[in-house]
Amino acid sequence: MATSPSAKRQKSSKDVSYELIYWPGLPGRGEHVRLALEEAGAEYTDTAHIEDGIKTVLAQIDDKNLGDEHNPPPLAPPILKHGDLVISQTPNILLYLGPRLGLAPKVSEDDDAIYQVNGLVLTALDGLSNEAHDTHHPVATGLYYEDQKEESKRRARDYIENRLPKFFGYFERVLKSKASGEGPWLHGGSLTYADLVLFQCLDGLKFAFPNALKRLEGSGEYKGLFELYDAVKERPKIKEYLASERRQKYGEGIYRHYPELDEEASS
Amino acid sequence: MATSPSAKRQKSSKDVSYELIYWPGLPGRGEHVRLALEEAGAEYTDTAHIEDGIKTVLAQIDDKNLGDEHNPPPLAPPILKHGDLVISQTPNILLYLGPRLGLAPKVSEDDDAIYQVNGLVLTALDGLSNEAHDTHHPVATGLYYEDQKEESKRRARDYIENRLPKFFGYFERVLKSKASGEGPWLHGGSLTYADLVLFQCLDGLKFAFPNALKRLEGSGEYKGLFELYDAVKERPKIKEYLASERRQKYGEGIYRHYPELDEEASS
């Protein structure tokens, strides 16, 4: 029986490894994609570790890029290329990868769990990644931190005093909900990519605000949250990855350590 | 043949109307959900128009709500209830509704268009809704605008000068891409919920920054973008909805009109 050329193209195009297109030099938003690929032991390439990889990033987000017949151009990395498919936006890439990597239930008429996982991821990225970034860039992403330092101090104080407890309290509550199931995970009693996202957010926050995070962890109010953090960190493949050179150091990215934005160390 | 009780519950539970749970008194993020339901002519209830509807919102986001066996508690509205399912986060609700309302392709192994639609929605909400909100709350969402007015002026100027052209230019480019197909729409040559989201963002921006938007529209650089806006506005069901009492007025929400944050009117 003849296969239509387009169906054939589609099939063969997915029988290839994943290509992560992201800035070299810092974990950034790309890290959420890496952790999912690493946990699953998937084959992938990463422009952060390819010579001149940055040129691939720049070509994708160039003003002249008009995408192609199926793919609109992306605005910003992370970008995932998988065969003919090119998609962007961190939660969107994870939504695509999750079921394929066994890190989320498949989308189907009978199972809506993917929407719970996606919802938790969107909330974690809103509060613990985007808002963390805004603590050092409250006025303009195009300006240096030094040009918005006073505003940053006000914003960081509010973030530590009000926003972190709000989001930590929320995820602690999710972990106590029946829907989280057995074990340390957020949803359905098994590891999903939402757990990996929350891990990475907590890891970045520990780097950016070590004093605040130490106090919050020590309070005992967010026991489930920090247990999840430890449980992800101990996953054999994640552990191996974090110790490898593929894991990049924090720097001038989302999570930055400016001591003046953290709280004082408690005695 | 016997149907298992759980499969039966699942089926019958979806044979009910949608319930939108959102603050009364302003369009807000809930408006993206309303526009999708209205365009599709779907049956739905809306706590904004139910007596004491706010109590339903508050019960959902109460610190004591632990969700149930399938649903973790939501952090914030908009929340969609559909039978047994309770989900939150605007792009997540739209992802669920889109294919069901005929406003996006179904998720399948052979068609990845839903990820393009979802990616466009996430980008529109990031740049044209969340960042628009931050122009009047750059320091802390918990403080009044009056307590962060100076910071707001700096942030709004940057938003108008740098961010709006960046995002408008991006969507104009998407509209020129082959993947957008024929007609005024963002993806695949037919209306999707991404178009409705972009319409609502532009509508809110026109309210918040009338002078800036008039200038940007008049520049002719974003012709496709404003044609999309007009095309959505003229959809018969959207037109009827916008003229109805179900459409709420802008107020103290995401899109606020503070003349001091807009640019001067051009002569």
Side-chain angles (χ1 to χ4, degrees), chain A residues 65-90:
Chain A
N65 180 21
L66 286 176
D68 61 35
E69 210 180 326
H70 299 289
N71 305 291
L75 178 66
I79 297 158
L80 182 80
K81 200 164 175 305
H82 188 211
D84 295 341
L85 182 74
V86 182
I87 53 174
S88 65
Q89 282 280 0
T90 311

Side-chain angles (χ1 to χ4, degrees), chain A residues 71 73 112 116 151 154 170, chain B residues 14 71 73 116 151 154 170:
Chain A
N71 305 291
D112 296 318
Q116 303 299 359
E151 292 92 342
R154 277 191 82 187
Y170 171 68
Chain B
K14 292 299 172 63
N71 305 291
Q116 303 300 359
E151 292 92 341
R154 280 191 82 187
Y170 171 68

Side-chain angles (χ1 to χ4, degrees), chain A residues 135-138 140-153 156 252 256-262, chain B residues 154:
Chain A
T135 58
H136 52 76
H137 277 76
T141 50
L143 289 178
Y144 290 109
Y145 163 64
E146 285 69 24
D147 296 326
Q148 45 194 312
K149 210 165 159 177
E150 288 315 308
E151 292 92 342
S152 295
K153 282 184 193 166
E252 299 281 287
R256 304 187 186 184
H257 178 53
Y258 295 120
E260 65 274 20
L261 298 188
D262 195 7
Chain B
R154 280 191 82 187

Side-chain angles (χ1 to χ4, degrees), chain B residues 104-156:
Chain B
K106 284 213 158 75
V107 181
S108 80
E109 299 280 326
D110 306 323
D111 191 345
D112 295 319
I114 187 80
Y115 301 101
Q116 303 300 359
V117 173
N118 185 43
L120 294 167
V121 164
L122 288 163
T123 302
L125 293 175
D126 274 356
L128 305 176
S129 175
N130 298 342
E131 288 196 24
H133 170 270
D134 290 349
T135 60
H136 52 76
H137 276 77
V139 172
T141 50
L143 288 178
Y144 289 109
Y145 163 63
E146 286 68 24
D147 296 326
Q148 46 195 310
K149 209 165 162 178
E150 289 314 308
E151 292 92 341
S152 294
K153 282 184 192 164
R154 280 191 82 187
R155 174 119 189 185

Side-chain angles (χ1 to χ4, degrees), chain B residues 238-253:
Chain B
I238 297 291
K239 200 173 177 172
E240 190 271 313
Y241 166 67
L242 293 175
S244 77
E245 296 208 338
R246 301 193 298 288
R247 172 75 165 186
Q248 294 163 90
K249 287 192 169 46
Y250 291 106
E252 299 281 288

Side-chain angles (χ1 to χ4, degrees), chain A residues 97-175:
Chain A
L97 286 177
R100 282 168 178 80
L101 300 178
L103 293 170
K106 284 210 158 75
V107 181
S108 80
E109 300 279 326
D110 304 322
D111 189 345
D112 296 318
I114 188 78
Y115 301 101
Q116 303 299 359
V117 173
N118 185 44
L120 293 168
V121 164
L122 288 163
T123 301
L125 293 175
D126 274 357
L128 305 176
S129 175
N130 298 342
E131 288 196 24
H133 170 269
D134 290 350
T135 58
H136 52 76
H137 277 76
V139 171
T141 50
L143 289 178
Y144 290 109
Y145 163 64
E146 285 69 24
D147 296 326
Q148 45 194 312
K149 210 165 159 177
E150 288 315 308
E151 292 92 342
S152 295
K153 282 184 193 166
R154 277 191 82 187
R155 173 117 189 188
R157 195 184 325 147
D158 177 71
Y159 187 64
I160 290 171
E161 281 177 15
N162 298 309
R163 304 299 283 174
L164 283 182
K166 181 185 169 89
F167 282 92
F168 282 15
Y170 171 68
F171 282 108
E172 191 67 21
R173 191 147 52 92
V174 169
L175 287 164

